[in-house]
Amino acid sequence: MIANITKGRKAVGALVYDFGPGRRDEHINPRIVGGTVTGTPLQVARAIDHTARRRPGITAPIWRCSLSLPDEDGILPDAQWSEIATEFVKEMGFDGAPWVAVRHGDDHIHLTVSRVDWSGQLLTDRWDYRRAREAADRLEDEHGLVRAADRFAAEGPQVRNAELEAAKRRGRGPDAPKPPEREELRRLVREVRDASRGLGRAAFESGLADAGVRFRANEASTGRMNGYSFTLEGWTDGSGQEVWVAASKVARDLRWAQLKDVIGDDPVAGGPDAAATAELVGRATEMLRQGRIERGAALPGDHPALSTDPAARILAQWQAKAAGREVPAEALPAPTPRPESIPAWTDKRRRPYGSLATDSIPAEIKKTSRQITTWQGEMRTAQAAARTWDGLATGAVTGPRVRELHQLAAKVEAARPHIEAEVEARNDRVAADTAADTARKMLREATRLQRLGWLELRREGTTRKAEEKKAATATEAIHAYVEQASRATSRAAAAASAAEEASGLPRPEREANRLRKEWAQLLAEARRGDQDEGQARRDAEQARVEALARRIQTAATRSDRLAQEAELRRTMPADQAKAEGLARRAAARSAPATGRRRKAGPARPPGEQPAHLRRQPPAPGGPGKTR
């Protein structure tokens, strides 16, 4: 597991990248698989930034880390990624702060953490790279993942960048018939070293020459041997100069400090000459290079020169000759046993594909292999879909219904200022209407009193002039309140239009009231609906995976039986092969045709025209009419 750490100022940009299309690779199905903040991606990012802003003096309060796995670990489910992310954040000491883990690919997740915890305390990031490496090592052991320390322990300098591009121009590379020169040198020199084990420098250098490897011995002026440099015929750089590579740059185990212990000292005086050495080492090297070694061991008590390993046998014989000992004689090869009788192809139970033509078997095997490859791709796709739906079924992934509910809440929140302005304007209109009604009552009372005589007005304790003044005042108040109500109505209409435009909803105030009263119930129903859908989809994908696995198993069994049939025909006696071939050809000639033939119609009398060329007889009622 590799932990890549970066730091930034805001979580919004990080979450926008995580849920965006991606730059280096395509972001497929981005989703939240863990964390302590819920909601839509922007809501989660704002919550993390809100906590980080409590310490404005920190220039980079957002801690980002990507955890990636190699291909050898396979594709982990979302639930396991959630567990890994939770344990990793806890190991780093950030579990008391808001954080979120986002997955948008098969092999990695992104962690976005606020270095300011919920209480406003700053969490230290001192030695975070070392602590992240230690936490990743512990998680690798706990979850049975491939250790990064072992994966990156290279056996020697690798072929990369410019050297690989130059090798491709020379017709070498990963997709070419020959590997790059450095990799071929590593293989050839190691084979010669193994074949020259214990034979000294002369045998090693002779084997290099036989294998086509050019070498230079790097000796000091004092005669001390420091190592070798190697090259291949035709390996030149851009200027045409021959490229020489030190042994330590080919592979670490080819350094002189290790190589001299393997090849040993030169042979003792009086042993076979250099020509014999070159011949024996060349034979062993050729066997190693062509891969004809049959790894085996001599029987207990036998001499190593009688081993079933050809290269080991040649080297043991050479060592015996060099030491002046007699080489034991090899046993005569045992006679080749006569092949046993093979069941005839008519035995369908043992030879289900015995009736198939010999030339058709490779094509059938190839066709079956293509089917297996296609089904394996479909099964991987179904497995990935099942993991995705499993995250939705377990609640580790936010489903579409919950996201739509949060999006609706975000739209209502965007329109909240306008909704409050609309409510305030309606209240103002109601207050103005109430005041206008009170003024109208005063006007009606003053008008009634104005119609009375002076004696009745005196009894009421007022005068006509006072009532006229009250009527004028009430009239002015009515006009003012009506104007206020009209302006309040206009403000309410404008606020309602602004709320609809800001939220995109036809009745945002009604939605706000509904969400405020029924939020808990709506959220529970949305989660339950998402989990039910995720469980149904997951079960369907898992059933599809099982069906594809059965298909693959059946096809693999068929391919194995076809290969067994081909091997049986290759090893069966010639007379049986000839007899089976004749029987297959006879069965093919006697088999009915599989093509669908058109059924012949009844025979036509001689001289009669076909039906589509015959004239219809004249209809009764006159010429030219037909029925």
Side-chain angles (χ1 to χ4, degrees), residues 246-278:
S248 61
K249 301 297 183 182
V250 177
R252 296 175 181 174
D253 55 353
L254 297 179
R255 294 177 296 180
W256 180 245
Q258 299 177 2
L259 184 62
K260 66 181 180 180
D261 296 334
V262 177
I263 63 176
D265 299 329
D266 290 335
V268 297
D273 57 3
T277 301

Side-chain angles (χ1 to χ4, degrees), residues 262-333:
V262 177
I263 63 176
D265 299 329
D266 290 335
V268 297
D273 57 3
T277 301
E279 179 183 359
L280 290 173
V281 174
R283 289 171 56 194
T285 303
E286 183 65 22
M287 290 179 181
L288 286 168
R289 181 164 57 245
Q290 294 183 2
R292 295 203 303 261
I293 294 179
E294 298 175 358
R295 292 297 177 188
L299 296 176
D302 287 348
H303 194 276
L306 303 179
S307 170
T308 58
D309 186 341
R313 184 172 64 251
I314 293 174
L315 295 178
Q317 291 174 358
W318 164 258
Q319 291 173 349
K321 291 179 181 179
R325 297 190 301 271
E326 183 178 357
V327 180
E330 298 184 11
L332 294 176

Side-chain angles (χ1 to χ4, degrees), residues 31-33 38-40 391-392 395-403 406 530:
R31 57 201 181 274
I32 295 176
V33 297
T38 60
T40 64
L392 185 62
V397 178
T398 302
R401 294 175 178 82
V402 175
R403 285 200 298 269
H406 282 288
D530 287 336

